[in-house]
Amino acid sequence: GAVVSQHPSRVICKSGTSVKIECRSLDFQATTMFWYRQFPKQSLMLMATSNEGSKATYEQGVEKDKFLINHASLTLSTLTVTSAHPEDSSFYICSASKGGAWDTQYFGPGTRLTVL
Amino acid sequence: KNEVEQSPQNLTAQEGEFITINCSYSVGISALHWLQQHPGGGIVSLFMLSSGKKKHGRLIATINIQEKHSSLHITASHPRDSAVYICAVKRGNQFYFGTGTSLTVIP
């Protein structure tokens, strides 16, 4: 149990377009979902934490108008990268927990975004 | 200086060896995660620790809150243990991640 999926797994887009990434908890209700990005050969960087039905809490330095996060239900959160630029190219990973931020997190497989 | 330091950065071991990965942190925390990231990016949360020791199969994690140090041990290592192991801590609303230890276990 406790499976998290992400879609798409890979996406290539042109500069200036918007890209939506979905994160789903398949067999549990996720009270809290997290979005991370990872640059090549670097560790994870938390972008934001979202609780179902409320606005996401963004980490310092993360532009909330650029990275729109919606957690509309207990099983789905979306990250939309708006007006994507090549520097947004990265590996985006979501995780979900049944409880709060210090409950066990279950990670999705990640989405590789390449902006041309 | 990173708030979370891991050592070693890279580790190559022969199958069957006992492996230790260390994590030191400089901020006060309430708990610490050990994560495993496989080639291709998939991440699994191995342990969440607030004190003492936890064991799961061949994996053991310990934490010393006073010394701000945690270790991840792998007994009887196997090639399928090859992955990047990441230490992560949370303080208040801030997450801090180590840069990871890349482990390769050779048959």
Side-chain angles (χ1 to χ4, degrees):
Chain A
V3 178
V4 175
S5 71
Q6 278 185 243
H7 177 80
S9 57
R10 288 179 178 270
V11 57
I12 300 172
C13 69
K14 291 183 179 179
S15 188
T17 60
S18 295
V19 175
K20 180 184 281 189
I21 302 169
E22 291 186 350
C23 176
R24 292 182 185 272
S25 57
L26 298 185
D27 52 1
F28 68 99
Q29 293 187 324
T31 304
T32 309
M33 285 185 165
F34 308 83
W35 286 97
Y36 301 85
R37 68 185 296 183
Q38 186 178 37
F39 293 103
K41 299 187 179 181
Q42 294 190 30
S43 191
L44 301 173
M45 182 193 80
L46 179 66
M47 300 174 68
T49 303
S50 74
N51 292 295
E52 184 264 341
S54 59
K55 288 185 180 180
T57 301
Y58 289 80
E59 297 296 302
Q60 197 170 14
V62 178
E63 299 174 62
K64 56 185 172 185
D65 294 332
K66 172 102 180 136
F67 299 99
L68 300 178
I69 291 170
N70 183 279
H71 191 164
S73 76
L74 284 171
T75 59
L76 173 65
S77 177
T78 59
L79 167 68
T80 302
V81 183
T82 62
S83 187
H85 287 279
E87 58 264 30
D88 299 323
S89 298
S90 191
F91 192 57
Y92 292 88
I93 304 169
C94 76
S95 70
S97 74
K98 299 174 185 176
W102 277 110
D103 198 358
T104 299
Q105 291 187 37
Y106 302 95
F107 286 82
T111 296
R112 174 77 59 194
L113 170 63
T114 303
V115 184
L116 302 176
Chain B
K1 184 184 185 300
N2 292 332
E3 288 80 4
V4 181
E5 297 279 355
Q6 282 185 240
S7 63
Q9 287 189 317
N10 296 285
L11 180 57
T12 301
Q14 288 292 133
E15 183 173 356
E17 285 185 12
F18 180 83
I19 288 163
T20 296
I21 299 170
N22 295 300
C23 174
S24 296
Y25 51 91
S26 58
V27 295
I29 68 166
S30 57
L32 176 148
H33 283 272
W34 278 102
L35 311 175
Q36 180 192 52
Q37 184 172 27
H38 283 284
I43 293 175
V44 173
S45 181
L46 298 174
F47 295 104
M48 186 177 69
L49 291 166
S50 56
S51 65
K53 178 178 172 179
K54 284 190 177 180
K55 185 177 188 293
H56 182 68
R58 295 180 294 105
L59 302 177
I60 302 166
T62 63
I63 188 169
N64 186 316
I65 295 289
Q66 286 74 30
E67 294 186 3
K68 294 186 169 65
H69 182 268
S70 175
S71 292
L72 176 68
H73 305 287
I74 304 175
T75 60
S77 60
H78 191 275
R80 64 176 174 265
D81 297 325
S82 298
V84 175
Y85 293 83
I86 301 169
C87 170
V89 302
K90 191 169 186 286
R91 179 188 187 215
N93 293 322
Q94 192 72 33
F95 273 95
Y96 300 93
F97 292 88
T99 52
T101 294
S102 179
L103 171 65
T104 302
V105 181
I106 300 170

